[in-house]
């Protein structure tokens, strides 16, 4: 494992922990898109079904279990424990416009036409757009809490580092996965506007707002 994948995993984990702590400490999920979190739970569920069929390493298994557990814990906090604080009026992105096309694409473009491979491909495609409901929600409300922007920053950083990881693996291991790379590029592009605002506003102590 190279340093870019490791730091990418740690950035991903940091994002998840920041979000969970934010919800738990404030006893509120205000400003958090429940729809994005449901999509991420679906991403991890469909991607890590190989937990039932293969063992790669203790690190690999541990991270997969943590991601799945944290994803469902987040969904539980939003839709059950702190449901009264969930802002459903602004979390209105039509997720079927993401899930259905992504599902169709996974059937058409994959490495191997088998159930596990199609579901893995579906998870890769879906993860690239799963943050859209959150960004849409921020654009509707006009601004985001600082802690929410930290969550988004580390989530975006994770994808950017994974892109570098794929480039590293291509040059030093001869490994090339077009599906993962294209999806990663799409996801990183979606974060570009946010990254700019994060650096120019949030790091200077200002509130972040996205154009409606």
């Amino acid at each position: 494992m190279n340093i870019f994948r490791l730091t990418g995993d740690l950035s991903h984990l940091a994002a998840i922990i920041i979000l969970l702590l934010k919800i738990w400490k404030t006893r509120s999920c205000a400003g958090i898109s429940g729809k994005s979190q449901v999509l991420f739970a679906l991403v991890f569920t469909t991607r890590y079904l190989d937990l039932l069929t293969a063992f790669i390493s203790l690190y690999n298994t541990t991270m997969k279990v943590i991601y799945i557990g944290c994803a469902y814990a987040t969904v539980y906090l939003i839709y059950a424990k702190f449901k009264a604080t969930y802002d459903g009026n602004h979390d209105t992105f039509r997720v079927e416009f993401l899930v259905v096309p992504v599902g169709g694409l996974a059937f058409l473009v994959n490495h191997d036409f088998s159930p596990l491979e199609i579901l893995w491909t579906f998870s890769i495609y879906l993860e690239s757009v799963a943050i859209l409901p959150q960004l849409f929600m921020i654009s509707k409300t006009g601004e985001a809490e600082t802690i929410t922007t930290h969550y988004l920053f580390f989530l975006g950083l994770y994808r950017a580092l994974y892109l570098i990881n794929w480039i590293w693996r291509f040059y030093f291991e001869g490994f090339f996965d077009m599906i993962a790379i294209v999806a990663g590029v799409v996801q990183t592009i979606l974060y570009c506007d946010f990254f700019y605002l994060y650096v120019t506003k949030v790091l200077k102590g200002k509130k972040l707002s996205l154009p409606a």
Side-chain angles (χ1 to χ4, degrees):
M1 180 186 299
N2 63 65
I3 188 64
F4 298 111
R5 178 174 177 180
L6 178 60
T7 52
D9 285 344
L10 293 178
S11 294
H12 195 184
L13 188 59
I16 294 171
I17 292 174
I18 286 171
L19 185 64
L20 278 171
L21 287 178
K22 182 267 182 191
I23 296 174
W24 188 258
K25 284 189 173 182
T26 62
R27 317 297 285 181
S28 169
C29 54
I32 304 298
S33 169
K35 291 185 176 182
S36 270
Q37 297 309 312
V38 168
L39 291 181
F40 281 123
L42 183 58
V43 164
F44 296 137
T45 302
T46 52
R47 181 175 303 172
Y48 298 144
L49 288 173
D50 63 347
L51 279 171
L52 305 174
T53 61
F55 177 80
I56 299 174
S57 69
L58 181 60
Y59 171 83
N60 184 276
T61 299
T62 301
M63 293 300 283
K64 288 177 178 178
V65 171
I66 290 174
Y67 288 150
I68 293 173
C70 288
Y72 281 98
T74 304
V75 170
Y76 167 74
L77 292 179
I78 293 173
Y79 287 103
K81 191 168 184 64
F82 302 124
K83 183 179 180 180
T85 65
Y86 170 55
D87 187 10
N89 291 328
H90 287 114
D91 194 13
T92 57
F93 193 95
R94 299 284 297 276
V95 294
E96 61 269 29
F97 292 153
L98 299 178
V99 175
V100 174
V102 161
L105 186 61
F107 268 95
L108 296 173
V109 184
N110 51 66
H111 295 309
D112 179 44
F113 198 76
S114 64
L116 281 181
E117 187 64 31
I118 290 172
L119 288 171
W120 178 86
T121 306
F122 170 80
S123 78
I124 295 295
Y125 292 151
L126 184 60
E127 186 182 22
S128 70
V129 294
I131 200 61
L132 282 176
Q134 180 67 65
L135 297 177
F136 182 72
M137 187 176 185
I138 292 174
S139 71
K140 286 195 71 176
T141 58
E143 61 183 26
E145 294 180 24
T146 299
I147 194 70
T148 304
T149 63
H150 293 333
Y151 158 72
L152 290 171
F153 173 77
F154 278 104
L155 205 57
L157 181 62
Y158 139 68
R159 288 315 305 175
L161 287 167
Y162 253 66
L163 266 184
I164 301 174
N165 163 63
W166 292 121
I167 295 171
W168 174 278
R169 293 190 66 184
F170 173 71
Y171 276 102
F172 293 97
E173 300 174 17
F175 182 82
F176 184 76
D177 188 329
M178 179 61 77
I179 289 175
I181 290 175
V182 171
V185 169
V186 169
Q187 188 172 1
T188 304
I189 289 174
L190 291 178
Y191 282 95
C192 283
D193 186 42
F194 168 80
F195 278 143
Y196 172 77
L197 293 172
Y198 184 88
V199 172
T200 58
K201 289 190 175 184
V202 179
L203 294 184
K204 294 180 180 180
K206 301 176 183 177
K207 268 201 169 185
L208 180 142
S209 60
L210 290 179

